[in-house]
């Protein structure tokens, strides 16, 4: 099978790395890829927002299967266009992708299907939003309705903070994504993510992970796309897992199918484990970044037939096997991320950080001859397997310490909740 992966982040490097191990693969392309993906796939410089260019590449290279990574391409309907051109594609339809693209869409589905989530209201003007805020009080959560790279959410502990977030949103801080604002009840609990393949009718649950969204140690600082993760997340006990499938995942899959917009792709449920059970925080219509990095390290099965069966509606009968190990990843980011940061700083030692148990996935990197340069906010994902979360964490940081990059930073406490629980 000739496969094209779309994207350039750590998630896409991880997907490509895993796909590259499939005996079904004959040739792997990645567009546009990054400074690490060229070792396992052919990087193709391409503007992935231009769907006609993607289709032209599929035709020129006789691609059998396209795997779309990033949310922006899901929401833009790249999957629909690639399929319309006659190619198999792992990517939900634009209609089903609204699960991620519009928080209001997901909230309406939750109402319709009785899926447990935070109470909310939606506003298209500042005065009404502020009036609702004053009536509700704090803590409260303010969200830009559209996509904002994980940065459009303010968990406000005070009315003043919420007020500022509402004013910012309507003032255009998130562009068109902030033209509508969702105000939500604050849910108290621990967050966990569940990943489920869904072929429109059948599901194949993958696994759990816990991300660390804040920029700095101790879960402080601004929200980011994710600074580190581990998998599986033991906080999701078998009972909670089953409850989540029954009360969240299945109603979503059935609700979308009943609406005539079946979901085909990976369903990424962000959940809050509250005193009254698991409640949905949000859906993403694609794999997580950096959760994919830990998932692929743990996956013993061949990923390619699973992704293909998801896209073709033939998941029934497929199973997935995991290594009996934990995986943990940390993000090395350019100083300043998620705010403004420099580009072009040199990274040394990345190639020496890997070992039998450790793999370095690239995100915002670029090669310049023999030099490796940082090109983005999130830049490298040092990922390790271990028999415990602690062992995986120790292996990750041993890898990180081999990397010399004065312009970079990372969190030093990824996995802390689970380590605290297990008394480490
Ligand atoms: P989202 O982009 O919707 O995932 O929100 C980003 C982060 O904000 C989530 O991962 C949570 O940590 C937090 N968050 C979002 N909604 C709520 C909520 N209703 N209650 C508490 N925390 C929330
Ligand atoms: N790690 C968070 C995300 O992929 O949205």
């Amino acid at each position: 099978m000739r496969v094209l992966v779309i994207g350039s982040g750590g998630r896409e490097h991880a997907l490509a790395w895993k796909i590259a191990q499939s005996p079904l693969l004959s040739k792997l392309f990645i567009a546009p890829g990054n400074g690490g993906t060229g070792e396992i796939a052919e990087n193709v410089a391409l503007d992935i927002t231009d769907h006609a260019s993607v289709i032209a590449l599929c035709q020129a290279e006789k691609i059998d299967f396209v795997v779309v990574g990033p949310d922006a391409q899901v929401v833009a309907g790249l999957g629909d266009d690639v399929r319309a051109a006659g190619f198999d594609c792992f990517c939900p339809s634009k209609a089903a992708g609204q699960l991620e693209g519009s928080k209001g869409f997901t909230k309406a589905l939750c109402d319709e299907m009785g899926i447990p989530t935070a109470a909310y209201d939606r506003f298209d003007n500042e005065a009404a939003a502020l009036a609702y805020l004053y009536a509700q009080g704090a803590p409260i959560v303010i969200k830009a309705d559209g996509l904002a790279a994980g940065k459009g959410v303010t968990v406000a502990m005070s009315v003043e903070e919420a007020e500022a977030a509402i004013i910012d949103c309507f003032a255009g801080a998130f562009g068109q994504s902030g033209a509508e604002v969702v105000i939500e009840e604050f849910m108290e609990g621990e967050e966990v993510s569940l990943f489920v393949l869904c072929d429109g009718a059948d599901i194949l649950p993958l696994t759990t992970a816990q991300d660390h969204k804040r920029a700095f140690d101790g879960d402080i600082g601004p929200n980011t796309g994710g600074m580190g993760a581990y998998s599986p997340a033991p906080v999701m006990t078998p009972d909670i897992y089953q409850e989540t499938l029954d009360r969240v995942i299945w109603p979503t899959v059935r609700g979308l199918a009943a609406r005539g917009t079946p979901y085909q792709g990976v369903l990424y449920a962000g959940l809050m484990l509250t005193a009254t059970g698991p409640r949905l925080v949000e859906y993403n219509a694609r794999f997580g970044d950096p959760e994919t990095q830990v998932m692929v390290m743990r996956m013993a099965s061949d990923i390619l037939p699973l992704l293909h069966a998801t896209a073709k509606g033939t998941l029934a009968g497929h199973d997935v096997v995991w290594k009996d190990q934990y995986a943990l990843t940390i993000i090395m980011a350019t100083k300043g991320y998620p705010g403004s940061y420099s580009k072009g700083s040199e990274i040394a030692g990345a190639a020496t950080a890997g070992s039998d148990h450790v793999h370095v996935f690239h995100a915002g990197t670029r090669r310049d001859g023999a030099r490796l340069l940082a090109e983005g906010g999130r830049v490298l994902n040092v990922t390790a397997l271990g028999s415990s979360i602690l062992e995986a964490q120790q292996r990750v940081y041993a890898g990180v310490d081999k990397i010399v990059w004065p312009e970079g930073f990372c969190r030093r406490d990824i996995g802390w909740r689970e380590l605290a629980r297990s008394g480490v």
Side-chain angles (χ1 to χ4, degrees):
M1 196 182 280
R2 295 169 69 82
V3 178
L4 167 64
V5 173
I6 299 289
S8 61
R11 164 185 48 212
E12 288 78 21
H13 189 183
L15 285 171
W17 175 82
K18 184 68 186 160
I19 291 170
Q21 295 165 31
S22 173
L24 301 175
L25 183 78
S26 49
K27 170 109 188 174
L28 184 59
F29 298 85
I30 182 163
N34 60 41
T37 54
E39 285 168 23
I40 48 164
E42 184 174 329
N43 281 353
V44 185
L46 189 72
D47 175 7
I48 58 173
T49 63
D50 177 4
H51 299 186
S53 298
V54 174
I55 291 165
L57 175 67
C58 293
Q59 288 161 342
E61 294 294 351
K62 300 193 166 34
I63 298 295
D64 299 301
F65 187 39
V66 181
V67 177
V68 176
D71 45 338
Q73 273 57 54
V74 173
V75 171
L78 179 59
D80 304 66
D81 290 344
V82 166
R83 279 187 288 271
F87 298 94
D88 291 344
C89 185
F90 180 89
C91 180
S93 67
K94 188 174 181 175
Q98 285 185 78
L99 268 190
E100 170 153 11
S102 165
K103 293 183 191 298
F105 174 90
T106 301
K107 286 296 192 184
L109 184 74
C110 288
D111 279 351
E112 188 182 317
M113 301 302 294
I115 297 165
T117 186
Y120 79 106
D121 223 318
R122 197 173 173 182
F123 301 92
D124 63 6
N125 76 85
E126 187 181 299
L130 289 174
Y132 182 82
L133 164 67
Y134 300 141
Q136 297 293 319
I140 196 155
V141 183
I142 313 297
K143 302 185 173 187
D145 184 59
L147 282 181
K151 295 164 205 156
V153 175
T154 303
V155 180
M157 288 300 150
S158 68
V159 169
E160 293 70 33
E161 207 186 331
E163 222 168 32
I166 291 171
I167 291 168
D168 273 3
C169 252
F170 285 113
F174 305 105
Q176 222 12 61
S177 292
E180 287 207 19
V181 169
V182 170
I183 305 187
E184 270 189 24
E185 167 198 0
F186 172 75
M187 295 187 289
E188 175 120 44
E190 188 163 334
E191 272 187 276
V192 66
S193 305
L194 175 66
F195 296 84
V196 179
L197 292 177
C198 177
D199 72 356
D202 280 306
I203 66 168
L204 177 62
L206 292 176
T207 188
T208 56
Q210 194 171 54
D211 191 11
H212 298 64
K213 290 197 174 166
R214 300 296 189 116
F216 308 124
D217 284 13
D219 287 337
I220 59 170
N223 256 325
T224 70
M227 293 300 290
Y230 62 86
S231 174
V235 69
M236 192 154 203
T237 61
D239 284 351
I240 300 176
Y241 177 85
Q242 193 55 50
E243 188 179 349
T244 306
L245 292 183
D246 294 343
R247 298 188 59 203
V248 180
I249 303 297
W250 274 119
T252 303
V253 171
R254 291 192 178 119
L256 287 174
R259 285 178 173 193
T261 52
Y263 189 90
Q264 273 184 285
V266 61
L267 206 47
Y268 162 176
L271 302 158
M272 191 71 82
L273 305 184
T274 72
T276 57
R279 298 172 74 190
L280 183 72
V281 178
E282 61 160 359
Y283 267 127
N284 294 309
R286 36 92 192 164
F287 281 110
D289 188 348
E291 293 91 330
T292 305
Q293 291 81 316
V294 281
M295 280 180 9
V296 298
M297 290 281 280
R298 288 186 48 229
M299 192 184 280
S301 306
D302 185 353
I303 198 170
L304 194 48
L306 301 181
L307 300 180
H308 197 245
T310 302
K312 298 297 282 178
T314 56
L315 253 188
H318 280 276
D319 205 356
V320 57
V321 178
W322 301 96
K323 293 177 187 161
D324 188 20
Q325 281 181 297
Y326 290 92
L328 188 139
T329 188
I330 71 103
I331 306 300
M332 297 184 80
T334 309
K335 284 177 185 164
Y337 173 80
S340 59
Y341 51 81
S342 67
K343 285 189 177 175
S345 57
E346 185 165 355
I347 304 165
T352 63
S355 68
D356 283 353
H357 310 286
V358 182
H359 194 82
V360 181
F361 295 111
H362 289 226
T365 67
R366 177 169 69 85
R367 301 265 174 204
D368 177 25
R371 299 195 311 153
L372 184 67
L373 305 179
E375 272 293 292
R378 296 194 292 173
V379 172
L380 292 173
N381 316 144
V382 183
T383 313
L385 286 171
S387 58
S388 63
I389 289 174
L390 180 63
E391 186 179 50
Q393 192 204 55
Q394 287 167 339
R395 286 174 172 167
V396 162
Y397 287 120
V400 168
D401 291 338
K402 292 181 189 151
I403 297 175
V404 182
W405 180 31
E407 274 309 300
F409 79 100
C410 68
R411 282 182 59 162
R412 283 276 164 186
D413 65 344
I414 300 302
W416 69 268
R417 278 195 190 78
E418 204 45 51
L419 294 178
R421 240 191 307 273
S422 52
V424 178

